[in-house]
Amino acid sequence: MNVLVLLSIILFTLMAIVGGKKGIKSFIALFLNFAIVIATVLVMNDPNANPIWLTLLACAFISAISLFYINEVNSKTMMAFLSTIVTLVILLLFIIIITDQSMIQGFGEEEREEMMAFSLNIGIDFVKVATSVIIMSTIGAIVDTAISITSPMREIHYHNPTISRKELFLAGIRIGRDILNTSTNTLFFAFFGGYMGLLMWFKDLSYSFGEIINSKVFSDEMITIFTAGMGVAIVIPIASGMTAYYLVRDKQKN
C-alpha cells in the first residue's frame, strides 16, 4: 500500500475517533481546500489572469470551507469569516509594497542552476505571484486565530449575558494574547522544520550570517512568517471587536 494512502487512513481514523462528525468533516475539508489551491495554481498559468485576485477568491473559499462547512453557519463562524476577510484586505496593501520593495519575487541564486534549462519568460508577473504566495501562507493562521477567539467569546456571552460590550471585547483580547505567542511560535518553527535542509546547505556553502539573511530564499520565507504573524496580531482586535459588537447588539435586540 502506498505510504500516503496509509497515512491518510490513519489520519482519518484518528480524526474520526477524536473529533467524531466534525473530525470527519475536517478531514474532507482538508482535501477540498487542497483542491482549491490546485485549481488556483492551474488558473494562474493563464497570463491574462490576476494572481492576487485569484488568491483572494481562493482564500475566501478556503475560509468558508474551514469555518462554515465544519462548524456550520452561526455567529462565531460569521464573525470569524468577516474578521478574516477584513484582516486580509488590511494586509494586502502592505504585502504588495513589501514584496515589490524587497525584490523577493522569482528564484534565488541557489535555485538558478536547477532552472537554467527552462525559460522564465512565461508572461506572468512574478511580483504578483510572490504576493499571492504570501497571502495564501497567512490564511490558515488567520482563520485559526479568528475562530479561536470568536468561539470562546460566544461561550462567555452565553454564560454571562449581562456582560458589557467593553468587558466582552477585553475578554477577547486576553484570549488573543494567549493565542498570539503559540501561533507565532508555530509559524516560526514550521519554517525551520521545513527548511532545515536549506540551512544545512547554507552551512556547506560556507555562507556567512549576513549572506544567509540577505539570500532571497531565506528572506522570502522570513517575510512570509513575519507577515503571517502580523495577520495573527491584527485579527485579534478585529475579531474581538466585531464579535463583542454583534453579540451585545443581538442580545439588546432580543
Side-chain angles (χ1 to χ4, degrees):
M1 181 182 292
N2 188 291
V3 64
L4 294 179
V5 176
L6 179 61
L7 290 174
S8 299
I9 293 173
I10 295 174
L11 177 62
F12 174 79
T13 303
L14 291 175
M15 293 179 72
I17 293 174
V18 176
K21 184 178 179 180
K22 282 192 175 182
I24 296 173
K25 282 187 173 183
S26 298
F27 182 83
I28 297 173
L30 180 66
F31 287 92
L32 291 176
N33 289 334
F34 178 74
I36 291 174
V37 173
I38 295 299
T40 303
V41 172
L42 293 176
V43 178
M44 277 186 187
N45 289 327
D46 183 359
N48 297 319
N50 189 314
I52 296 177
W53 290 114
L54 285 173
T55 303
L56 290 175
L57 182 62
C59 287
F61 278 111
I62 290 171
S63 301
I65 291 174
S66 301
L67 294 171
F68 301 136
Y69 175 69
I70 298 174
N71 299 294
E72 301 179 350
V73 179
N74 50 54
S75 58
K76 66 179 181 182
T77 54
M78 283 296 299
M79 291 302 101
F81 180 78
L82 291 175
S83 59
T84 298
I85 298 302
V86 171
T87 302
L88 283 176
V89 172
I90 293 173
L91 278 178
L92 179 60
L93 180 60
F94 172 80
I95 292 174
I96 293 175
I97 294 174
I98 198 67
T99 303
D100 184 54
Q101 294 298 316
S102 61
M103 300 181 68
I104 59 173
Q105 70 274 10
F107 300 94
E109 294 180 0
E110 298 80 10
E111 302 167 303
R112 287 179 184 172
E113 184 177 348
E114 300 174 359
M115 303 298 298
M116 286 179 63
F118 302 96
S119 173
L120 300 181
N121 187 21
I122 56 177
I124 295 177
D125 190 339
F126 278 92
V127 175
K128 292 181 179 179
V129 172
T131 302
S132 300
V133 170
I134 296 176
I135 294 172
M136 189 69 74
S137 300
T138 63
I139 185 64
I142 294 174
V143 170
D144 181 60
T145 303
I147 192 64
S148 297
I149 292 173
T150 59
S151 181
M153 284 183 68
R154 192 178 74 159
E155 289 299 313
I156 292 172
H157 184 264
Y158 176 78
H159 292 287
N160 187 11
T162 59
I163 189 172
S164 68
R165 183 172 291 155
K166 180 180 179 180
E167 290 174 339
L168 187 58
F169 171 75
L170 293 177
I173 294 295
R174 287 192 292 269
I175 294 169
R177 287 171 179 168
D178 293 335
I179 298 171
L180 183 61
N181 179 53
T182 55
S183 297
T184 50
N185 272 292
T186 300
L187 294 169
F188 185 76
F189 287 107
F191 161 74
F192 282 103
Y195 281 82
M196 188 67 71
L198 176 64
L199 297 175
M200 295 174 64
W201 190 20
F202 283 153
K203 181 180 179 300
D204 291 338
L205 294 174
S206 300
Y207 272 34
S208 65
F209 180 75
E211 289 174 323
I212 293 175
I213 294 298
N214 288 288
S215 67
K216 183 178 288 189
V217 178
F218 186 84
S219 298
D220 183 13
E221 293 303 320
M222 291 306 296
I223 288 174
T224 301
I225 292 172
F226 290 145
T227 305
M230 289 171 55
V232 170
I234 292 172
V235 78
I236 290 173
I238 292 176
S240 300
M242 293 178 68
T243 306
Y245 176 81
Y246 175 81
L247 292 176
V248 174
R249 188 194 66 171
D250 189 58
K251 180 65 178 180
Q252 291 172 347
K253 281 185 177 181
N254 295 330

